[in-house]
Amino acid sequence: MSSLAVTFTRNAQAEIQSRLTIASGYQHETIGWFSFLSDHIVRPYLPAVFPGVIPRGLNFVASAGLIHRSRAGWKYYFDDEQRPYSVRLSVLAKKVLVETNYAPIRRLESIFDRIYIDEFQDLVGNDLVVLQALMESSIDILMTGDVRQAVLQTSQSDRLFADYRGVEIVSWFRSQETEQRCTIIPQATTKRFNQQIADFSDMIHAPELALPSTTSSMYDSTGHDGVFLLDEDEVNTYMNSFDQRPTQLWYRSSDRITPPGELLTFGSAKGITRDRVIIYATTPIVQLLKSRKPLAAKSACGFYVAVTRARFSVALVVASAKSVYSQVDPLFAEKISLWESDPN
């Protein structure tokens, strides 16, 4: 069987390569999403759309707003060195598909029996046009991802399917299932963290998304397990109470003075696993705990990523922990304990 594995980030590419090799016993071709669009959709059929243009590498652009508005024709998609702009690569891929009557899909059908797509929650806009074309092909497409971790995106500028960005991509897949293009198979069991963390993390996203509850199959116990509120004045004492200091996570870099140790942003922590983490709670996170006021979708994904980096314990750092704890919404209070260095 000829197969291809595709995912967005380099870390994810290494991870999926390792998993597939262990599962099957042989190597799979593994490439990034941009490489997939360029090598298998755009490049083979670009002469039919823009004769004489030869793609060379990729021009990573954070936003289409950084590309001069006067660029038109092939230059709308490429810089002067004929490097495709990353933020417009999926738009170009759709153009190639449409103008060649989906010839790239037929080519892929002749090469691969199965394509694995990992971290599908990172895909946005015109990427979904490509996904739909693949789902309608004869290729066996297996896609995996966690919509709760939608903190990265292939493009910040692609506005197609704007209602399906981030965690809302789950609604797009549900519509595809209704149209019988795919079957959704929920995988709600985790080996990464304990049930206390699983129960708390399930409450971070809006209940209207109707995401499945998580069951943990990680049963190790350390005597300090679960989710805790930690007063900011107790951080040093808390960290010093462990042989291995917990990793500290914050929403973004700031002027806050933190104890020595590993310190990461929510986004940069994606993909790691630690025994324990400390999270510096933002004002919206505190409001979530007190009144269940929903976080903005992207913030919810970032907070979810931060919480689920820990195997055993999560400490949420707040000012006046006792006061906050007394105001925590009853449903959250069932999932959280107050940590005190001197309970008496």
Side-chain angles (χ1 to χ4, degrees):
M1 174 179 288
S2 178
S3 65
L4 175 69
V6 185
T7 192
F8 179 38
T9 65
R10 290 183 179 179
N11 287 342
Q13 289 170 46
E15 180 68 15
I16 193 174
Q17 175 72 279
S18 173
R19 290 179 183 178
L20 290 173
T21 300
I22 292 172
S24 66
Y26 62 90
Q27 292 286 323
H28 294 255
E29 182 182 352
T30 305
I31 61 174
W33 179 252
F34 289 147
S35 294
F36 173 71
L37 294 181
S38 179
D39 296 347
H40 290 287
I41 305 293
V42 173
R43 188 183 296 270
Y45 294 91
L46 190 63
V49 180
F50 293 122
V53 178
I54 303 174
R56 296 176 174 87
L58 189 69
N59 186 338
F60 285 94
V61 181
S63 169
L66 300 175
I67 303 172
H68 200 281
R69 295 181 181 178
S70 65
R71 300 187 71 84
W74 70 266
K75 290 188 176 182
Y76 179 83
Y77 305 98
F78 297 86
D79 64 17
D80 291 339
E81 298 178 16
Q82 299 188 356
R83 296 178 301 174
Y85 294 118
S86 59
V87 293
R88 289 180 176 164
L89 185 55
S90 62
V91 184
L92 176 60
K94 180 180 73 172
K95 182 177 180 66
V96 171
L97 286 173
V98 172
E99 296 195 14
T100 62
N101 194 26
Y102 288 77
I105 300 300
R106 295 192 296 276
R107 175 180 176 272
L108 285 166
E109 288 174 328
S110 70
I111 299 173
F112 300 109
D113 301 296
R114 171 173 291 183
I115 296 178
Y116 300 89
I117 299 175
D118 193 29
E119 305 285 8
F120 62 68
Q121 74 276 357
D122 296 336
L123 306 182
V124 298
N126 285 274
D127 294 330
L128 304 187
V129 175
V130 178
L131 279 190
Q132 182 173 318
L134 290 170
M135 287 189 284
E136 292 174 344
S137 74
S138 63
I139 306 169
D140 185 11
I141 306 296
L142 178 61
M143 295 173 281
T144 59
D146 184 352
V147 298
R148 292 182 172 105
Q149 297 191 49
V151 295
L152 301 176
Q153 295 180 352
T154 53
S155 173
Q156 300 292 330
S157 308
D158 191 335
R159 303 317 303 169
L160 186 66
F161 298 129
D163 292 341
Y164 296 131
R165 297 180 79 86
V167 69
E168 291 293 346
I169 197 174
V170 68
S171 299
W172 184 81
F173 275 106
R174 287 169 177 164
S175 71
Q176 298 300 304
E177 185 176 45
T178 299
E179 296 295 327
Q180 299 185 339
R181 294 190 183 97
C182 69
T183 300
I184 297 173
I185 305 174
Q187 297 291 328
T189 300
T190 182
K191 297 180 180 179
R192 170 179 281 175
F193 43 82
N194 58 36
Q195 191 62 53
Q196 298 100 307
I197 294 174
D199 291 342
F200 179 82
S201 65
D202 281 349
M203 297 179 65
I204 292 174
H205 285 88
E208 291 77 16
L209 291 168
L211 300 175
S213 298
T214 306
T215 300
S216 173
S217 61
M218 198 279 279
Y219 304 113
D220 295 342
S221 178
T222 68
H224 180 76
D225 307 293
V227 182
F228 301 85
L229 274 186
L230 173 63
D231 195 289
E232 60 185 11
D233 292 335
E234 299 265 32
V235 171
N236 275 301
T237 302
Y238 181 82
M239 292 192 68
N240 290 333
S241 67
F242 301 101
D243 293 335
Q244 184 175 0
R245 296 166 71 83
T247 293
Q248 303 170 83
L249 304 176
W250 53 9
Y251 178 69
R252 63 166 63 94
S253 301
S254 70
D255 294 331
R256 177 192 289 269
I257 298 175
T258 60
E262 186 178 34
L263 178 64
L264 302 170
T265 63
F266 292 178
S268 63
K270 190 172 185 290
I272 71 166
T273 301
R274 298 291 185 268
D275 284 352
R276 309 185 189 281
V277 301
I278 289 176
I279 298 173
Y280 292 97
T282 62
T283 298
I285 289 174
V286 174
Q287 290 302 311
L288 172 69
L289 299 179
K290 289 182 177 180
S291 63
R292 302 192 70 191
K293 180 180 178 180
L295 294 169
K298 188 172 182 179
S299 296
C301 290
F303 185 40
Y304 178 86
V305 166
V307 168
T308 55
R309 298 312 90 194
R311 299 180 67 225
F312 300 117
S313 67
V314 177
L316 305 175
V317 177
V318 297
S320 304
K322 285 185 178 180
S323 175
V324 172
Y325 187 67
S326 68
Q327 301 175 62
V328 170
D329 178 273
L331 290 177
F332 269 114
E334 295 176 2
K335 317 296 182 187
I336 301 175
S337 300
L338 176 66
W339 189 86
E340 298 178 87
S341 58
D342 183 5
N344 300 316

